[in-house]
Each structure stands twice: as C-alpha cells, then as structure tokens.
Amino acid sequence: MIKKGFLIGLLLFGIFFGAGNLIFPAELGFRAGKNFVPAMSGFVLSGVGIAIITLIVGTMIKGGYKRELGIKVGVNFAIGYLTSLYLAIGPFFAIPRTASTSFSIGIAPVTGNTRLPLFVFSAIYFLLAYLIALNPSKLMDRVGKVLTPIFALLIVILIIVGNLNFHVVGEGEMAGSLTALKTGFFDGYNTLDALASVSFCLIATSGIKTFGFSSKKEYMSIMAIVGIVTTILFSSLYIGLGALGNKFSVPNEVLSDKSVNIGTYILSMSSYKLFGSFGQAFLGAMTILTCFTTTVGLIVVTSQFFADTFKRFDYRAYVNIFTLTGFVMSNFGLNTIIKISIPVLSILYPVTIVIVLIVILNKFIRMSNIGMRFTIILTAVTAFIEVIGNVFKIKMINSIMSLFIGGSLGFVWANIAVLGIIVSLILRDKIKGESFEI
C-alpha cells in the first residue's frame, strides 16, 4: 500500500512539476529576509496544501468538478468558471509564462532582457509548439516524463549545493511576520496548481486507476498516503528554493531593473556561480525543454476543452487562437504577465477554495442547494470587489473591507463563505451529495 501510494505521489508530482513554479519561491525567499519562516509557511499553505486537497478531492468525485458544479450551482456557472480557469492555465498566463521563463533563464543571460531576442525566441518556440499541438502524439508526453525527473534532480542539486555555499541573509522587504505570511499565501496563487487540479483531476484519476484497487477503503487509504507524499515533495522543493533565494545576494542595479525577474535571476546566477558557464547553460537548456513540453500539453488540453465545450470552432481553430495568444502575451515579459495575472487569480482562487470546501462538507452533511449556489457566487462577487478596491485603490471599498475579520489582509471573501455555509446548513432544502467513490 505504501509503495503504491509513493508511486502515485511521484506520478502526480510529475504532472504538476514545472519550471515556472521554481521562480516564485526563490524570489519570495529573497524578499522575505528574516521573515522567511512565515513567508514560506504561507506559500506552502496555498501553493501546496490547497492544490493537493483540490486534486485528491477531484480524483474521488464522479465526473470531476464540472459535474459537481453543474449539480450544486448550475451548468452555466460550471462552464463559465471552468472557461475562466482554462484561460488562466492556458493562453493568458501559464502558456506565455512558460515561454517567458524559458527565455529569462535560458536566453536572457546571453542576450539580455531586450524585446527583439524575446520576440525571435518566442516566435520559434511557439511555431514548434503549434506544429506539435496540431498533431499531438505520445512522443511529447514521453519526453516530458524523461525530462521532468532529470530537471527535478538538477534543481535538487542546485538547492543543496547553493544552501551549503551561500550564507548571506538580506533584510528583505517584508515588515513583520503577519505581512510575510499574507504575502507568501498570495504568492502561492502564482503556482496555478490548485486551478490546474480542478482541470486535470480526471486525467490524474485515469492514471491513478491503472494501479488497480481492491476496495474503496484501500483507495481512500492510498490517496491519504499520496497526499502526504506529494505534500512533502513540493514543500521540500519550495522551502529549499526559498532558502536558496534567502541566502543569495542580488545587486541593487538588478533590483531596480523592472525587466528582470528576481526568481529567474537567482536560479540562473546561482547556477553560474556554483557550476560555471556549463552549469548555467545546462540549466537554461533543461528549463527550455521542460517548459516546452508543458506549453504543448497546455495548448492541447485547453484546445480540447474549448472544442468539446464550444463547438462553433474545431480543435485546429482553437490551437491557432491559443498559440497566437500565448505568443503575443509572452512578449509582454515575465514580470508583466505575473502582474496581470494577480487580480484574476485573486478571484479564481477564493472561488476554488470555497468550491472544494463545500464539496467536501456536502459529502458528509446535508446542505441547501440554494445556499451552496449563493455561497459560491457571493464569494466570487466579494473577491471581485476586493480586487477592484486594491487595483484602483478605492478608499471607500478598502475602508468597508477592513471592517471584516481579516479584511485588511484580503480575506473578506472568507467571511462571506463562512456565513454562506452556515446558511446552507440551516435552510430546509438540504441535500447530501454523493459519497466519494473510486
């Protein structure tokens, strides 16, 4: 049982491990300074905890989150939510981010962070991705399965050697442990793993079931082991990268250059300082190849979802649209992509957290269908208002939000969610969801 759980845990780690996820803990560790522990605790909580719970729950739901949302909230909401989610993990954020990360680590150390090299690189990168995505085969999947463990091993070596050789801990930019905890929690959104868990849970389920299970009890026990294994793997990776960034010295001229992403700089330059030009080049090549397989996979699954859901266009047309969109977005640069994504993720993540919480509760407790529906919708509306207040710095909105518990930290939506769940437990039309199943 333990062996099977460990192997499935490695499978899921391979599905979600990507080069893009490496830059955020490294930068967070650097900026946290002496508030490293609370910052990384927040990051692990949202970047690992929420993602793993979302995935494991999704593997035990008949028909995945799409069917569950269709029953509890409505088919239109389910389609709208999943569409937004696929656009986030697809052409708007994750796909262009893989290309920009590849450029920042693999090419920029040679050419510099200028627009022309980025344009040329991304044009070639997306042309190749487009040609493969038009006729997807198992070749890229197999290449990814070979590259992922090699790349993961390379990062582990970099983490260990770097932490043994770098010793300077900067002051950081975070005033107080509470601020660091909040920053780390919201930075964890950038991994996109919880959103990917909603989308890919059915794919993960089909892979998991190939291991075979004798009973529901065995399945549940093994999935508990899987949760522990994947949590340990990702937490160790993130904490190690955060510690590397925490001990790495970044020059002031780099910090003041808005075109440079601190996370990619730390990975590239630490590799150079530890292993020389060859080490830096090898890291760059592995990053490009790993990101490329991820890009192709995301173009394929996003295009398949849209072709199945919105049948006006076929799969090929969606490949055209999403490849072109990813190419255009990637040329804004990595920092700009991340900056644009934050408001959207600040809406999608609270909704996802509440959906998972309601799904779990409703498997064991009778809840109102109307109450569940309004809880999820009001959470989305509240998160949207919070984002508007923060982005446009509207004092009236921020003042009202600060009246709630945790409001000044960005958790007004949590108040609304708790209130909605309580109402869902009180109302008469109580429905108990289907039990978890294999």
Side-chain angles (χ1 to χ4, degrees):
M1 183 181 293
I2 293 176
K3 181 181 178 182
K4 192 177 290 186
F6 184 76
L7 291 174
I8 294 172
L10 287 177
L11 169 69
L12 297 183
F13 179 80
I15 290 175
F16 287 97
F17 178 80
N21 290 9
L22 306 179
I23 61 178
F24 300 110
E27 179 172 359
L28 178 65
F30 170 77
R31 297 197 184 282
K34 294 179 180 179
N35 288 304
F36 175 79
V37 172
M40 291 310 302
S41 297
F43 189 90
V44 169
L45 179 61
S46 62
V48 181
I50 294 172
I52 298 302
I53 292 171
T54 302
L55 179 67
I56 291 179
V57 170
T59 61
M60 294 187 287
I61 298 174
K62 181 181 179 181
Y65 286 101
K66 182 178 181 179
R67 178 178 178 273
E68 194 79 8
L69 280 172
I71 295 171
K72 287 180 168 50
V73 188
V75 175
N76 290 334
F77 178 87
I79 292 174
Y81 167 72
L82 289 172
T83 298
S84 302
L85 204 143
Y86 270 99
L87 289 174
I89 65 170
F92 286 162
F93 305 137
I95 288 174
R97 198 174 73 184
T98 54
S100 296
T101 300
S102 298
F103 173 79
S104 296
I105 295 179
I107 307 297
V110 178
T111 64
N113 266 302
T114 53
R115 293 195 176 277
L116 182 58
L118 174 60
F119 178 85
V120 174
F121 170 80
S122 59
I124 297 171
Y125 182 96
F126 279 103
L127 175 61
L128 294 174
Y130 169 75
L131 294 174
I132 296 173
L134 281 179
N135 296 290
S137 66
K138 292 184 178 179
L139 175 62
M140 288 306 294
D141 184 50
R142 289 168 182 166
V143 170
K145 287 178 180 178
V146 172
L147 287 176
T148 295
I150 295 174
F151 187 58
L153 179 61
L154 173 64
I155 296 301
V156 169
I157 293 171
L158 181 63
I159 288 171
I160 294 172
V161 177
N163 276 283
L164 290 174
N165 283 271
F166 303 136
H167 305 290
V168 178
V169 178
E171 291 296 323
E173 303 172 354
M174 299 176 192
S177 57
L178 191 60
T179 300
L181 181 67
K182 169 196 169 183
T183 303
F185 185 85
F186 287 117
D187 276 8
Y189 288 3
N190 286 317
T191 65
L192 297 175
D193 284 345
L195 305 186
S197 294
V198 174
S199 305
F200 299 156
C201 62
L202 292 180
I203 297 174
T205 302
S206 63
I208 291 169
K209 287 184 177 179
T210 59
F211 286 85
F213 302 94
S214 60
S215 65
K216 180 178 178 179
K217 183 178 180 180
E218 183 195 18
Y219 183 78
M220 299 286 279
S221 300
I222 288 176
M223 290 310 293
I225 296 172
V226 169
I228 294 170
V229 170
T230 47
T231 298
I232 290 173
L233 289 173
F234 272 110
S235 298
S236 301
L237 179 73
Y238 289 152
I239 293 170
L241 285 165
L244 177 67
N246 193 242
K247 296 177 180 179
F248 194 81
S249 178
V250 179
N252 289 328
E253 59 268 24
V254 174
L255 293 174
S256 60
D257 188 348
K258 300 300 181 183
S259 67
V260 177
N261 179 271
I262 301 302
T264 58
Y265 177 85
I266 290 170
L267 289 174
S268 179
M269 292 309 298
S270 62
S271 180
Y272 175 74
K273 288 185 178 182
L274 294 170
F275 306 112
S277 298
F278 173 78
Q280 186 182 39
F282 187 69
L283 174 70
M286 288 301 300
T287 300
I288 292 172
L289 290 170
T290 305
C291 282
F292 183 75
T293 59
T294 302
T295 298
V296 174
L298 289 174
I299 291 174
V300 170
V301 296
T302 306
S303 299
Q304 287 174 340
F305 169 79
F306 274 81
D308 293 339
T309 307
F310 305 102
K311 300 184 184 296
R312 182 174 180 180
F313 300 107
D314 60 10
Y315 172 79
R316 186 186 184 93
Y318 283 115
V319 170
N320 293 337
I321 294 169
F322 296 144
T323 304
L324 181 60
T325 304
F327 166 68
V328 172
M329 288 292 295
S330 68
N331 278 271
F332 284 107
L334 184 56
N335 285 346
T336 302
I337 296 168
I338 294 170
K339 186 177 180 180
I340 294 171
S341 70
I342 289 173
V344 179
L345 298 181
S346 296
I347 298 171
L348 286 176
Y349 256 81
V351 174
T352 303
I353 293 168
V354 173
I355 286 171
V356 174
L357 181 59
I358 284 177
V359 168
I360 295 172
L361 286 174
N362 193 222
K363 296 298 181 184
F364 302 100
I365 306 171
R366 291 185 177 275
M367 299 177 70
S368 164
N369 216 21
I370 295 174
M372 289 187 287
R373 183 174 303 154
F374 277 98
T375 299
I376 294 171
I377 292 173
L378 286 176
T379 299
V381 172
T382 305
F384 176 76
I385 294 172
E386 280 190 278
V387 167
I388 293 297
N390 290 328
V391 171
F392 296 102
K393 302 187 185 304
I394 301 173
K395 291 183 178 180
M396 185 177 74
I397 292 177
N398 293 334
S399 297
I400 294 172
M401 295 297 175
S402 65
L403 299 175
F404 291 84
I405 298 172
S408 59
L409 298 175
F411 292 104
V412 176
W413 60 266
N415 292 259
I416 302 300
V418 170
L419 182 62
I421 289 171
I422 292 172
V423 172
S424 298
L425 294 171
I426 295 173
L427 291 180
R428 291 183 177 180
D429 61 319
K430 293 179 181 178
I431 299 170
K432 186 176 179 181
E434 300 167 330
S435 61
F436 288 120
E437 59 175 46
I438 300 178

